Amino acid sequence: MPVLPPETLHEWNLSPAEAVALQSRLASRVVLEDRFAPVRRVAGVDIGFEDDGATTRAAIVVLDWQAGGPPFEVVEQVVYREPTRMPYIPGLLSFRETPAALGAFARLETRPELVMVDGQGIAHPRRLGVASLLGLWLDLPAIGVAKSRLCGRHDEVGDTRGEQTPLVHKGEVIGTVLRSRTRVKPLYVSPGHRVSQAAALEWTLRFLHRTKLPEPTRLADRLASRRDASGRR
DNA sequence: GCGACAG
DNA sequence: ATCTTGTCGC
C-alpha cells in the first residue's frame, strides 16, 4: 500500500529530548473516537529485533474479517528487515520500530481498514506508543495490544479468561488490562488512533480465540519467528 | 534520590 | 527483543 517514505522518519534524526517533545506534539493529533470505514481486512503487526538488535524485523499478516472465522482467512503477509537505526530507550521504542513497520506496509498490496499492533497505543507516558505513531503515519484506525505494561497502575486482574480492569495513568484511563487466558499474564489493550477505548477492547475480544494473543497479532508473531521467513507469501 | 522501564 | 527443549493443555 502507498506509504510516505519511511526515510522521512529516519531523517528526523532526533536526540532523545527532541523525540520526547515530538511525541507530545504528535499525541495531540491522536483521535480517540471511532473513525472507521467498514472493517473487512485487519492487519496484525509485530516488530522485533535480530542479530543482537542490529536488524529490525517487521511482520504483517492481513486477515479477512468479513469472510468469517476463526480460522480467519489470510489475505496477505509480509516480512521486512532493515538495519536498526536507534537504540532502545524506554518510552522511545516507537522510533526504533516504526521505520521497519512502514517499510513492511509499503510492500503490502492490501490496504487494511484496521491495524492491530504488538505494543502500546496511548498507554504511554506521553500517550504515543507504537500503535499510535503507526496509526497516525498510515492514517488508519489502530489498536495497541501489548504483552506487558509500560506505565500506569491497575488493580489485580481476576485470573480467569475475560476478566479486565482499567489501566490508569495520572488520573486518566489509558487502556484495559485484559486476562486473555486463564492464569496467563494479562494483555494491555489501548487505542492507537481513530479508535475509542471501548472499540479497542471489543475488537481485541473479537479476535481472541484460544490463545493469549488475538489472531492478527498472534499470526504476525508466528510469521516473524519462522525460519524460512524470506519475505512474502 | 530511587526504582520502573512496550520491544 | 533474543538465547532454547521439553512439556503441559486444548
Side-chain angles (χ1 to χ4, degrees):
Chain A
M1 62 180 268
V3 167
L4 290 176
E7 295 72 40
T8 317
L9 196 61
H10 312 155
E11 284 167 8
W12 286 346
N13 194 10
L14 307 164
S15 67
E18 292 170 325
V20 165
L22 178 60
Q23 284 183 324
S24 299
R25 272 185 279 138
L26 291 176
S28 67
R29 293 168 40 177
V30 167
V31 173
L32 295 177
E33 290 163 17
D34 295 315
R35 295 201 188 156
F36 289 86
V39 176
R40 176 179 175 80
R41 292 148 312 183
V42 180
V45 182
D46 175 72
I47 304 140
F49 302 89
E50 299 174 347
D51 314 326
D52 208 20
T55 302
T56 306
R57 173 216 343 100
I60 303 178
V61 174
V62 181
L63 305 178
D64 189 327
W65 167 249
Q66 292 188 351
F72 297 100
E73 181 186 328
V74 175
V75 175
E76 192 184 353
Q77 46 187 38
V78 170
V79 178
Y80 170 71
R81 294 176 170 83
E82 63 171 44
T84 304
R85 295 170 168 69
M86 320 206 183
Y88 171 68
I89 302 172
L92 297 180
L93 177 64
S94 55
F95 290 99
R96 181 169 157 91
E97 292 190 330
T98 301
L102 293 175
F105 270 102
R107 286 159 179 78
L108 199 66
E109 292 176 17
T110 316
R111 180 173 173 87
E113 285 77 40
L114 176 64
V115 178
M116 197 171 276
V117 187
D118 187 326
Q120 314 289 351
I122 63 166
H124 176 280
R126 292 168 294 281
R127 309 293 181 262
L128 198 85
V130 219
S132 297
L133 182 60
L134 206 49
L136 271 176
W137 202 270
L138 299 171
D139 192 24
L140 285 175
I143 297 170
V145 181
K147 301 184 294 298
S148 62
R149 184 190 64 91
L150 172 59
C151 70
R153 307 187 346 133
H154 63 87
D155 293 339
E156 274 195 37
V157 203
D159 74 342
T160 305
R161 175 188 154 95
E163 302 215 64
Q164 46 189 270
T165 188
L167 178 64
V168 180
H169 181 62
K170 294 186 172 176
E172 263 181 84
V173 175
I174 57 174
T176 304
V177 187
L178 171 67
R179 188 76 70 179
S180 57
R181 285 203 76 180
T182 300
R183 280 181 285 280
V184 168
K185 276 185 37 172
L187 298 179
Y188 292 77
V189 179
S190 61
H193 181 49
R194 292 174 54 175
V195 182
S196 65
Q197 199 71 248
L201 183 59
E202 285 164 10
W203 278 106
T204 301
L205 290 172
R206 269 173 208 152
F207 277 112
L208 227 33
H209 192 26
R210 295 166 158 172
T211 50
K212 165 179 177 170
L213 298 177
E215 289 302 276
T217 298
R218 184 183 73 84
L219 293 173
D221 242 6
R222 203 186 54 158
L223 172 65
S225 61
R226 292 193 59 171
R227 281 233 348 144
D228 63 304
S230 49
R232 181 176 299 268
R233 250 209 156 175

